[in-house]
Amino acid sequence: MKKFNISLKSKEEVREMFQHAYDSYLRYAYPYDELRPLSCDGVDTWGSYSLTLIDALDTLAIIGNHTEFNRVVDIVLQKQNFDTDINVSVFETNIRIIGGLLSAHLLSHKTGLKLEPGWPCNGPLLRLAEDVAHRLIAAFDTATGMPYGTINLRSGVPPGETSVTCTAGVGTFIVEFGTLSRLTGDPLYEEVAYNALKALYHHRSPIGLLGNHIDVMTGRWTAQDAGIGGGVDSYYEYLVKGAILLEKPELMSMFNEARQVIDKYLKKDDWFVWATMLRGHVTLPVFQSLESYWPGLLSLIGETDTAMRIIHNYHSVWKQYGFTPEVYNLGTGEASSSRESYPLRPELIESIMYLYRETRDPILLQMGEDILRSIQHSARTPCGYATIKDVRDHRKEDRMESFFLAETTKYLYLLFDPDNFIHNPGVHGTVINTPNGECIVDVGGYIFNTEAHPIDPTMLYCCHEARQGINISEVHRIYQILEEEDNIQFMTMIDVSVNNASTKESVSEVERNTAVENISSEISYADKNKLKQDELIKTETRTGYVNIDGTEREKSKNETTLSDIVKERINSYYNNTNVVSEQDEESKDVEKVFPAKESEKNIEIDDITVVQRPQESEHLQLPSTTKAKEALIMLPKVIQDFLNNDWKLKPKCEPQYMLERIRKEQKYPDHPDVNKYQLLLTPAQSFLQRISLAGEFLNKKQLDL
């Protein structure tokens, strides 16, 4: 009874804590990204997109404030897209904005929000999340497939952007991007994120460790310290969560391999240190506050006993200072003098919540009480909650990061609310109608992204066509057939137009010139964009034409290809002296100055390209290098920088071309355990076991039986 009373009282206190911080953000900071609780105003930090409002959205649903959730959704949806000329962190935008929008989309049915037909596979919040993700995709257009750290939401990778990214910045996308692909049916996002994970796995050291920072263009490690904390943390987290959420056993196998190496080289008496990735020699004997996620992660794979020993170590640091400093020196037993702050981080309470959900050990509730008391006593201000600048004297700093409302208060609330729908152990669910038929949702097993945005795996299953047994390769083959048939039909239309034209006794000069100019302009456009012939006009395959049933058929000798028709028309245009276009009329004066040679009047066209009328080379003299440099110096500096920049050399990222390139190159082979589904049946918490193979356990027909 005492435990129940503590839990209920603490739950209401956390609710009030969240409300005070949330109301303060709306009153003093909105529409800025974050609240400054000492100045009682706001500031843009990560992207000037009202970050805290989006980050806190699903917390409103979890604590039961449905009215405010629905009101904020209407506000968020006033933003049709994220077409803004700002540079943002790819990592932070993904976990906070995309994660927040996806979670709010999936929870919206619980708040009474009006849903669009086809939900959860359709909806305005989902479209907004996809708009953001589509803008981040250009960051992955690198030689290794690993993403840049910064992107401009309008124009892509900024000029001069560094190619060095931290490991977490490369490997923390599979949860959000996988969710997006499963809901929308577009494989682009999941495959790009998965390819980045495989790239990191491929670049691990000979002993299996990963460094802290890597060059995404060369694959060279620029910071070779290996650890489980800052700069690396969520990579390991997403191997486990991605495996469970998307049913990818190879990700669990990657984590198991990494876990063995981590325990061998980095684990010292239930603490974890930093070491060189090449030899495993200890370099930094420190504990980082960010490492506190590790016990919770171990609990997800059934390592509860180990996790409990580690969590006691971490809680001992909290008791020493009332908070966990960013860096704690294990050798001296003191907070690092340069990293002594506590920015209201959630990782320790996250692990406590996971472990309590599994063990119901009352000592974990007491740990939660300690954290609640410390924050209330030292971080609360009249305008919100402030970062602790120094854990040794509890001085405050004028910042409240968005994750305080997205994670810290959410995990505290869930710790003290064991009956919350998030904790459903799979004993009940809800039947909904989707474009793929009926499916069951709300059976629990929510996977939290690294910003604590919960994802319901069963909703991904509702929208994932692979569950119907559709062979994706077969679908791709059908698309190819349809493409070929469309091109054949296009050729037939051209043949008909040519035949009709030949039956007429005469064709006006205007009509002939218009047709020539149209086809010339199209080919010129393709030539400017340097497209290959088979990308521009797909009329043939290497194995010949294809019937609608997929069988090959011979190409008859008298069959005219589209390329032949184009060549014939271009030949006619350049060699027929009777046809004079408007452009020719305008260039008569030029031809008088530069007359064409007799041998150049008849031009043979071998390829589908626009042949320009040659000009006498002696009349075109390029300036010398010296003269060019002198001319450049005379220009204003801003124009000099613009001309010297390599912007012209970087092509615009085309996501679908990038996806096809990844598939074609297959730079990183699949893990040998890609089909080892027994790896998903770990001794994990019961609520995760129930959904680890959703297709088997949650088929409505089987449940009816």
Side-chain angles (χ1 to χ4, degrees):
M1 181 63 69
K2 181 179 179 181
K3 181 178 71 174
F4 175 78
N5 290 335
I6 291 176
S7 178
L8 181 61
K9 179 182 177 182
S10 299
K11 182 182 80 169
E12 293 307 315
E13 187 174 352
V14 174
R15 187 200 299 272
E16 191 278 332
M17 171 190 287
F18 169 84
Q19 202 64 48
H20 173 61
Y22 177 77
D23 290 343
S24 296
Y25 168 75
L26 291 182
R27 183 178 300 114
Y28 303 113
Y30 178 79
Y32 292 101
D33 280 342
E34 291 179 353
L35 168 69
R36 296 204 302 175
L38 300 182
S39 304
C40 296
D41 59 11
V43 62
D44 283 332
T45 53
W46 293 111
S48 186
Y49 34 39
S50 302
L51 174 62
T52 297
L53 193 67
I54 296 175
D55 227 3
L57 195 49
D58 53 22
T59 309
L60 289 168
I62 288 174
I63 69 174
N65 194 342
H66 297 167
T67 301
E68 180 64 10
F69 176 91
N70 295 341
R71 187 186 75 85
V72 173
V73 166
D74 289 339
I75 294 174
V76 171
L77 291 179
Q78 291 176 9
K79 190 178 185 68
Q80 298 296 320
N81 56 56
F82 281 76
D83 183 23
T84 310
D85 186 16
I86 54 173
N87 296 341
V88 300
S89 164
V90 178
F91 170 82
E92 299 290 353
T93 302
N94 174 58
I95 66 172
R96 303 194 196 204
I97 298 297
I98 297 178
L101 291 171
L102 287 174
S103 180
H105 165 73
L106 296 178
L107 292 176
S108 56
H109 74 295
K110 303 189 74 66
T111 67
L113 194 69
K114 185 178 180 181
L115 305 176
E116 286 188 2
W119 182 91
C121 316
N122 186 35
L125 288 171
L126 177 61
R127 290 192 292 273
L128 202 55
E130 186 174 18
D131 175 78
V132 182
H134 196 77
R135 298 175 189 279
L136 301 187
I137 283 293
F140 292 81
D141 191 15
T142 63
T144 64
M146 295 184 279
Y148 280 95
T150 302
I151 201 80
N152 184 283
L153 290 178
R154 177 171 294 168
S155 59
V157 179
E161 170 63 17
T162 176
S163 57
V164 175
T165 306
C166 69
T167 303
V170 172
T172 311
F173 294 91
I174 193 66
V175 169
E176 297 84 3
F177 278 31
T179 297
L180 199 54
S181 282
R182 300 296 175 96
L183 292 176
T184 64
D186 187 344
L188 169 68
Y189 309 103
E190 182 175 338
E191 290 194 33
V192 164
Y194 179 50
N195 187 63
L197 280 177
K198 290 199 295 184
L200 279 177
Y201 180 78
H202 177 79
H203 285 91
R204 69 195 189 283
S205 75
I207 63 174
L209 289 173
L210 278 72
N212 197 273
H213 283 76
I214 191 170
D215 190 316
V216 300
M217 295 305 295
T218 65
R220 181 179 65 88
W221 290 98
T222 59
Q224 298 185 356
D225 286 331
I228 64 170
V232 185
D233 46 5
S234 49
Y235 161 69
Y236 294 121
E237 179 185 355
Y238 272 40
L239 289 179
V240 172
K241 292 181 175 180
I244 299 172
L245 179 68
L246 305 175
E247 299 176 11
K248 285 184 172 290
E250 65 272 28
L251 297 184
M252 189 66 77
S253 185
M254 290 179 188
F255 176 79
N256 290 336
E257 293 176 28
R259 168 86 188 291
Q260 293 178 2
V261 180
I262 288 170
D263 284 352
K264 180 178 180 180
Y265 294 104
L266 307 182
K267 187 177 180 183
K268 308 294 180 184
D269 299 327
D270 293 320
W271 295 95
F272 293 87
V273 298
W274 290 80
T276 60
M277 65 178 291
L278 296 177
R279 299 182 180 275
H281 296 161
V282 176
T283 57
L284 292 170
V286 299
F287 156 68
Q288 293 183 344
S289 179
L290 284 169
E291 297 172 12
S292 303
Y293 77 98
W294 190 256
L297 188 64
L298 294 183
S299 74
L300 295 183
I301 60 172
E303 296 281 347
T304 304
D305 293 340
T306 303
M308 285 295 291
R309 293 197 303 271
I310 297 172
I311 203 75
H312 278 288
N313 281 348
Y314 295 172
H315 183 241
S316 68
V317 178
W318 187 283
K319 288 193 296 184
Q320 181 177 347
Y321 291 108
F323 298 103
T324 49
E326 289 287 78
V327 177
Y328 180 81
N329 192 307
L330 297 175
T332 62
E334 296 178 348
S336 171
S337 57
S338 58
R339 301 291 303 281
E340 68 278 1
S341 66
Y342 170 69
L344 306 176
R345 289 202 183 278
E347 284 76 18
L348 182 58
I349 190 61
E350 172 188 4
S351 288
I352 291 172
M353 187 275 292
Y354 274 122
L355 284 169
Y356 181 72
R357 188 159 64 174
E358 175 65 9
T359 66
R360 291 297 191 266
D361 190 333
I363 197 171
L364 294 165
L365 282 180
Q366 188 57 55
M367 291 181 184
E369 281 285 330
D370 292 343
I371 294 174
L372 178 58
R373 295 276 69 79
S374 295
I375 295 176
Q376 290 283 58
H377 180 269
S378 300
R380 188 179 178 106
T381 75
C383 298
Y385 288 82
T387 289
I388 302 301
K389 185 177 181 62
D390 191 329
V391 299
R392 294 169 296 189
D393 57 19
H394 290 199
R395 284 179 295 151
K396 297 180 180 66
E397 184 177 340
D398 198 12
R399 186 175 186 186
M400 187 185 82
E401 291 213 46
S402 69
F403 57 65
F404 179 69
L405 293 177
E407 301 185 76
T408 308
T409 54
K410 182 183 296 169
Y411 285 133
L412 271 172
Y413 186 84
L414 289 173
L415 171 66
F416 298 122
D417 185 20
D419 297 325
N420 195 279
F421 70 88
I422 290 289
H423 299 312
N424 179 12
V427 296
H428 57 81
T430 304
V431 178
I432 63 172
N433 290 313
T434 74
N436 295 322
E438 289 186 341
C439 68
I440 300 178
V441 299
D442 284 345
V443 295
Y446 288 88
I447 298 297
F448 290 91
N449 84 333
T450 196
E451 191 76 4
H453 297 304
I455 305 294
D456 185 347
T458 55
M459 292 192 184
L460 276 59
Y461 174 71
C462 290
C463 302
H464 193 29
E465 289 186 340
R467 72 188 182 91
Q468 301 293 343
I470 297 176
N471 188 320
I472 301 301
S473 299
E474 183 67 14
V475 173
H476 184 66
R477 189 180 72 84
I478 293 172
Y479 283 156
Q480 287 183 318
I481 293 173
L482 291 176
E483 275 192 350
E484 297 300 333
E485 290 298 324
D486 286 342
N487 288 324
I488 293 171
Q489 183 181 9
F490 180 46
M491 288 169 52
T492 305
M493 292 170 60
I494 291 182
D495 288 337
V496 171
S497 66
V498 171
N499 293 336
N500 290 341
S502 64
T503 58
K504 296 181 180 180
E505 294 182 358
S506 63
V507 180
S508 69
E509 291 293 319
V510 175
E511 291 175 343
R512 293 182 64 185
N513 291 337
T514 301
V516 171
E517 289 173 7
N518 286 342
I519 198 164
S520 298
S521 62
E522 290 180 8
I523 300 171
S524 298
Y525 178 80
D527 186 63
K528 290 177 183 177
N529 286 276
K530 299 181 180 179
L531 293 176
K532 298 178 181 178
Q533 177 177 340
D534 58 350
E535 291 176 343
L536 173 62
I537 305 173
K538 296 182 179 179
T539 57
E540 298 175 278
T541 63
R542 293 181 180 179
T543 56
Y545 284 95
V546 184
N547 294 319
I548 193 65
D549 60 356
T551 59
E552 298 178 9
R553 62 181 173 89
E554 296 293 332
K555 189 177 74 169
S556 60
K557 293 182 179 179
N558 60 353
E559 206 164 44
T560 305
T561 66
L562 181 57
S563 59
D564 291 336
I565 295 172
V566 175
K567 290 178 184 179
E568 181 181 349
R569 292 192 177 185
I570 297 175
N571 273 310
S572 174
Y573 169 62
Y574 280 104
N575 299 326
N576 190 343
T577 57
N578 294 326
V579 179
V580 181
S581 68
E582 294 178 4
Q583 293 180 351
D584 292 336
E585 292 285 354
E586 295 175 356
S587 61
K588 282 182 179 180
D589 294 335
V590 178
E591 291 183 1
K592 291 178 181 179
V593 179
F594 304 111
K597 295 180 180 179
E598 191 67 28
S599 60
E600 294 172 345
K601 290 184 179 179
N602 194 31
I603 301 172
E604 292 295 330
I605 306 299
D606 295 327
D607 298 308
I608 303 182
T609 55
V610 174
V611 180
Q612 304 295 331
R613 294 183 184 275
Q615 296 178 339
E616 297 274 349
S617 60
E618 58 267 20
H619 294 284
L620 300 174
Q621 295 183 358
L622 295 175
S624 66
T625 304
T626 304
K627 292 290 185 182
K629 289 182 178 179
E630 290 177 356
L632 182 61
I633 293 173
M634 294 173 62
L635 296 173
K637 186 178 186 304
V638 64
I639 299 180
Q640 293 180 38
D641 295 341
F642 182 73
L643 293 175
N644 286 327
N645 204 301
D646 61 350
W647 62 273
K648 295 183 295 184
L649 303 178
K650 185 166 181 63
K652 183 180 179 181
C653 172
E654 294 292 345
Q656 295 304 326
Y657 287 152
M658 183 174 66
L659 179 59
E660 291 302 322
R661 188 187 75 237
I662 290 173
R663 291 174 174 177
K664 182 179 180 180
E665 289 178 352
Q666 293 185 336
K667 187 172 293 186
Y668 310 110
D670 287 334
H671 193 280
D673 293 339
V674 66
N675 294 316
K676 218 170 184 179
Y677 284 94
Q678 59 266 35
L679 290 171
L680 299 180
L681 298 175
T682 61
Q685 300 182 24
S686 58
F687 74 97
L688 288 176
Q689 288 184 21
R690 291 176 182 271
I691 58 91
S692 60
L693 292 175
E696 179 180 349
F697 292 108
L698 297 176
N699 186 289
K700 185 175 184 295
K701 293 182 179 178
Q702 291 181 353
L703 290 177
D704 289 342
L705 293 176

